[in-house]
Amino acid sequence: MVYFNLDHAKSFVDQSKLAESRKLAEQSFKDVQNKTGKGPEWLGWRDILKDPNDALLADIDRLAGEIRSKADVFVVCGIGGSYLGARAVQEALGTFFPSSGPEIIFAGHHMSGRYLKELIAYLDQPKADGEKKSVYVNVISKSGTTIEPALSFRFLRDWVHANFEDAQKRIICTTSESGGALNKLIETNKYKKFVLPDDIGGRFSVLSAVGLLPIAAAGIDIRSLFYGAVDAYQNYEKDPSELLDYVALRHALYESGMAMDMIASFEPELGAVGGWMQQLFGESEGKNGKGLFPVLLGYSTDLHSVGQMVQQGQRNMLETFLVIDKAPASLSVSANEENTDGLNYLDGKSFHEINSKAFEGTREAHVEGGVPVISIHFPRLNAHSLGQFIYLCELAIAVYVYNLGENPFDQPGVEDYKKAMFRLLGKP
Ligand code: PA5
């Protein structure tokens, strides 16, 4: 089971305040369980785990199998919670340099015309054997009206229709049961549709069709992922103490004046997982002047960019490490005769051992420098443990935001940029 290490952060908080936060967390967890907190109509991400829909998993797997056998490129068009989870799981469990299966390309997560133009030019380019690329598109938008994916989808849709007679089969839409422009397009064109239930918000949707179709299309075992989350759900329903200790500590640290939570990892495959967590936490807790700003750091890289700031800058940050305890076999160092580079002292050590010492050393230095460090550990990184981690994060942030007295499931502030942008664009 994915687990926490809180030992390097506890001493930074007043123990009586920690006990208060812990008591509050117990009540907050009950509010999640009993649907008595704010936004009770958004707790469907728990219900799908309580009562797994195996038929839906099988349907997604079947379509993903078809896509994997027929597509050279699979374009995933969505923004925020509609794509970050899929990207996170793919990057964590896929290979760094994939050589088989369809190439997965994300679109609709910004409005760069240059990107879209180059993407379409890339889709137009024939394969090495001169054949046309076979392309499938999955557009994902709960509201069906978000401008970034909607605009990209307009171009991608036109391109697919102009290039394939069976275009209608190559476009798969994931959206709400009803409403939104996407549902109108689905009706008119008879595209295949997956529904994101109304009671699951975008950033809590990775274990619905929103995340599962692109994840399965990348060749990842979605049953293991999903049932890893079910496992965590059942585990925390029985005994939430470890999770509540984490929430209480994070809350007590926030109450003691911390302003930032730096999500860091020494494992590059966890970079996008940190990005998913950053959005889940940030959009859930940043309300009414409250919340820890989630900052994403990739180590060792960022030790050489903002490491100085972490070590000696303002003391208003805590650090959350994502750690893989046992890595799959990788490279090991062996001594060479010249030892010109002076690295023979690493003789016999694997990169994982070296990286683990880098983590321990960094933790030691940061704690000494006044940064509380929490870590979340994957005993091994696989679909099952990643599923556990996903639910752990979803539950932890829901309980934590209840501790703050806020609604974890809405994002009213995101509307403000949209209003200003639409006014400037002259939207009727
Ligand atoms: O978590 C959320 O609800 C948001 O990040 C949404 O996922 C994001 O704004 C995209 O919205 P939609 O899926 O409606 O296009």
Side-chain angles (χ1 to χ4, degrees), residues 78-83 140-146 149 196 201-205 279 283 409 411 414 418:
I79 194 168
S82 286
Y83 94 104
I140 308 165
S141 176
K142 182 173 184 188
S143 61
T145 53
T146 306
L196 172 58
R203 60 191 173 276
F204 288 82
S205 69
Q279 192 239 356
E283 214 165 66
F409 309 117
Q411 56 281 331
V414 181
K418 293 186 192 171

Side-chain angles (χ1 to χ4, degrees), residues 325-341:
D325 290 342
K326 195 162 171 31
S330 69
L331 295 174
S332 289
V333 180
S334 29
N336 67 19
E337 242 170 60
E338 311 85 50
N339 193 27
T340 321
D341 54 14

Side-chain angles (χ1 to χ4, degrees), residues 14-76:
D14 179 298
Q15 295 308 298
S16 65
K17 296 265 190 249
L18 181 58
E20 276 172 34
S21 292
R22 182 63 166 76
K23 249 188 140 169
L24 205 54
E26 270 167 43
Q27 182 53 48
S28 297
F29 179 57
K30 281 191 193 131
D31 284 336
V32 170
Q33 284 185 305
N34 302 329
K35 302 195 173 179
T36 45
K38 289 185 176 169
E41 69 279 23
W42 293 93
L43 284 157
W45 48 277
R46 281 171 46 83
D47 299 333
I48 56 172
L49 301 177
K50 189 174 170 199
D51 194 8
N53 184 344
D54 290 321
L56 175 66
L57 295 181
D59 188 25
I60 292 173
D61 251 341
R62 188 202 46 74
L63 180 59
E66 191 183 315
I67 293 167
R68 282 183 67 70
S69 68
K70 294 191 179 152
D72 298 305
V73 179
F74 183 55
V75 182
V76 180

